[in-house]
């Protein structure tokens, strides 16, 4: 059985990936690493959780040795909008965690999953039906880290045989842990605000199309790719995956159809406006479908219904 370490386990993806991995590989085979003490405490209610700073290669390596890890999921990242506030910090954290993960995966012969993002693309990329292999000249430090990460991960695979795999995540919509510092965060926040205040102020332009994915599909993609037959993988780092693309206005109108009292307005953040304009409207994910069977289940309507149901309960229980 595989022994898994999730690094950066307390974030939006980690809080839901850990239980998903426990289901797939067994509870006793998953360790959650997280740098924030209070979050480690919370995680430890449901899994083996340890304090782990991905930038401390010695402590990171000791954890791999102690728990006999052979699969690493490196989720450490400062997201796109936050990265623009402190680009050097974003570079140091995102690339530092990746380089340590790559070098430890090489040393301890672990498979390594590190998510890339739609943020790896830029203004010069074709925005409609963005191909798997195309121009990648991002305008954000987050995107620069993602492209560098994709290249480095492929390099470690070809040069050292490290089993690196990755997907380019769209904005992920989820109801476990709130995202923080991303350009696509609005598509999560709105579902709570509907029930908290009945209205939402959006900082992304009303006509900005971006790819989105519901968390259950993101989790399935992650384990499906990591379990894929390596001989079928023509690409590795990183695969376009997509399932729905919408603008804020389209999402809010779809919510209003279900909750007629809901209202919204816009106070545009120029940084998020520039980022969203530079990202794909929708990607072509045919390589992921052909090479490892990517087959998402959740469309826009099913996702909205599920999010409204769960976020309503959470707000009523005072959890948000
Ligand atoms: C962000 O908005 O920065 C992230 C992403 C799409 O990578 N959610």
């Amino acid at each position: 059985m595989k022994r898994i370490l999730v690094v950066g386990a307390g974030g939006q993806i980690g809080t839901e990936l850990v239980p998903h991995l426990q289901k797939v590989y067994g509870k006793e085979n998953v360790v959650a690493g997280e740098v924030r003490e209070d979050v480690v405490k919370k995680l430890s209610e449901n899994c083996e959780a340890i304090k782990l700073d991905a930038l401390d290669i010695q402590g990171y390596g000791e954890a791999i040795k102690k728990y006999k890890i052979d699969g690493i999921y490196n989720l450490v990242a400062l997201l796109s909008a936050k990265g623009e506030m402190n680009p050097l910090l974003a570079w140091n954290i995102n690339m530092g965690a990746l380089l340590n993960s790559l070098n430890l995966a090489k040393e301890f012969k672990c498979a390594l999953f590190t998510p890339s993002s739609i943020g790896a693309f830029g203004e010069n990329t074709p925005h409609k039906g963005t191909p798997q292999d195309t121009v990648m000249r991002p305008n954000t430090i987050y995107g620069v880290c993602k492209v560098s990460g994709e290249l480095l991960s492929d390099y470690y695979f070809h040069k050292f045989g490290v089993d690196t795999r990755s997907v380019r995540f769209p904005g992920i919509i989820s109801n476990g842990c709130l995202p923080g510092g991303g350009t696509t965060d609005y598509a999560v926040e709105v579902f709570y605000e509907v029930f908290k205040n009945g209205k939402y102020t959006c900082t992304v332009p009303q006509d900005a199309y971006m790819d989105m994915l519901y968390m259950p599909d993101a989790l399935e993609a992650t384990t499906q790719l990591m379990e894929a037959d390596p001989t079928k993988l023509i690409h590795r780092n990183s695969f376009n995956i997509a399932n729905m693309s919408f603008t804020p206005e389209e999402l809010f109108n779809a919510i209003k159809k279900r909750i007629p009292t809901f209202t919204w307005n816009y106070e545009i953040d120029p940084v998020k406006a520039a980022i969203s304009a530079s990202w794909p409207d929708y990607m072509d994910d045919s390589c992921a479908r052909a090479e490892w069977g990517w087959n998402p289940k959740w469309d826009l309507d099913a996702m909205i219904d599920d999010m409204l149901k769960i976020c309503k309960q959470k707000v009523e229980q005072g959890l948000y």
Side-chain angles (χ1 to χ4, degrees):
M1 195 36 110
K2 295 198 170 137
R3 302 271 309 152
I4 310 273
L5 175 63
V6 181
V7 187
Q12 184 199 9
I13 300 176
T15 45
E16 298 198 45
L17 183 61
V18 168
H20 176 73
L21 291 168
Q22 286 178 325
K23 265 190 227 144
V24 176
Y25 299 108
K27 198 167 177 177
E28 63 290 356
N29 291 316
V30 181
V31 180
E34 165 61 46
V35 71
R36 294 162 294 177
E37 302 261 15
D38 53 328
V39 182
V40 175
K41 215 169 142 211
K42 191 144 190 289
L43 286 167
S44 66
E45 291 164 14
N46 298 307
C47 65
E48 176 85 61
I50 56 171
K51 180 168 160 58
L52 196 156
D53 178 357
L55 301 184
D56 163 21
I57 193 160
Q58 202 185 327
Y60 192 170
E62 278 161 13
I64 292 175
K65 236 191 290 179
K66 177 173 173 192
Y67 292 100
K68 301 186 173 42
I69 297 300
D70 55 18
I72 302 171
Y73 291 71
N74 164 36
L75 306 178
V76 176
L78 236 65
L79 297 184
S80 56
K82 196 159 179 195
E84 291 311 291
M85 290 172 194
N86 194 338
L88 188 57
L89 181 70
W91 174 265
N92 286 338
I93 290 178
N94 297 6
M95 297 311 292
L98 175 66
L99 272 170
N100 284 350
S101 302
L102 284 166
N103 285 319
L104 291 169
K106 172 174 168 251
E107 186 180 343
F108 292 100
K109 303 200 181 337
C110 300
L112 175 63
F113 176 84
T114 306
S116 186
S117 158
I118 51 173
F121 297 112
E123 272 163 18
N124 301 336
T125 303
H127 281 208
K128 298 192 193 312
T130 304
Q132 170 68 37
D133 300 310
T134 184
V135 180
M136 301 184 78
R137 306 282 299 175
N139 314 76
T140 60
I141 192 68
Y142 178 68
V144 171
C145 293
K146 289 302 183 195
V147 175
S148 310
E150 290 190 16
L151 293 172
L152 269 172
S153 299
D154 271 348
Y155 180 79
Y156 271 65
F157 169 66
H158 291 296
K159 180 91 180 168
F160 306 118
V162 180
D163 186 2
T164 53
R165 306 183 188 193
S166 169
V167 292
R168 294 179 183 133
F169 275 138
I172 297 180
I173 299 168
S174 68
N175 45 57
C177 166
L178 280 172
T183 306
T184 57
D185 293 4
Y186 85 87
V188 178
E189 290 161 0
V190 63
F191 286 98
Y192 293 101
E193 292 305 314
V194 167
F195 297 110
K196 272 166 81 173
N197 301 311
K199 59 180 198 281
Y200 180 63
T201 299
C202 182
T203 51
V204 172
Q206 61 174 40
D207 56 352
Y209 272 105
M210 285 184 278
D211 274 310
M212 301 278 174
L213 200 61
Y214 197 30
M215 183 63 96
D217 279 332
L219 300 177
E220 201 52 44
T222 305
T223 42
Q224 205 181 349
L225 173 60
M226 292 310 277
E227 288 299 325
D229 176 352
T231 63
K232 304 256 162 63
L233 299 181
I234 299 162
H235 298 86
R236 273 183 170 263
N237 302 282
S238 180
F239 284 94
N240 287 359
I241 58 167
N243 197 33
M244 53 182 110
S245 167
F246 51 76
T247 63
E249 196 67 9
E250 286 172 357
L251 176 64
F252 303 157
N253 275 311
I255 293 174
K256 195 173 178 67
K257 264 196 198 144
R258 292 151 168 94
I259 302 185
T261 51
F262 172 54
T263 60
W264 62 93
N265 67 331
Y266 293 90
E267 282 175 19
I268 303 304
D269 172 345
V271 173
K272 289 187 186 172
I275 295 174
S276 58
S278 77
W279 286 358
D281 290 1
Y282 57 92
M283 294 185 288
D284 172 356
D285 61 1
S286 51
C287 290
R289 290 176 190 265
E291 292 176 39
W292 50 274
W294 162 238
N295 181 23
K297 309 273 182 301
W298 291 80
D299 64 12
L300 178 64
D301 282 321
M303 177 277 287
I304 292 176
D305 289 337
D306 202 52
M307 280 295 285
L308 287 174
K309 189 176 92 196
I310 294 170
C311 295
K312 182 170 191 275
Q313 285 163 3
K314 291 206 161 182
V315 171
E316 280 171 2
Q317 289 163 7
L319 295 174
Y320 283 96

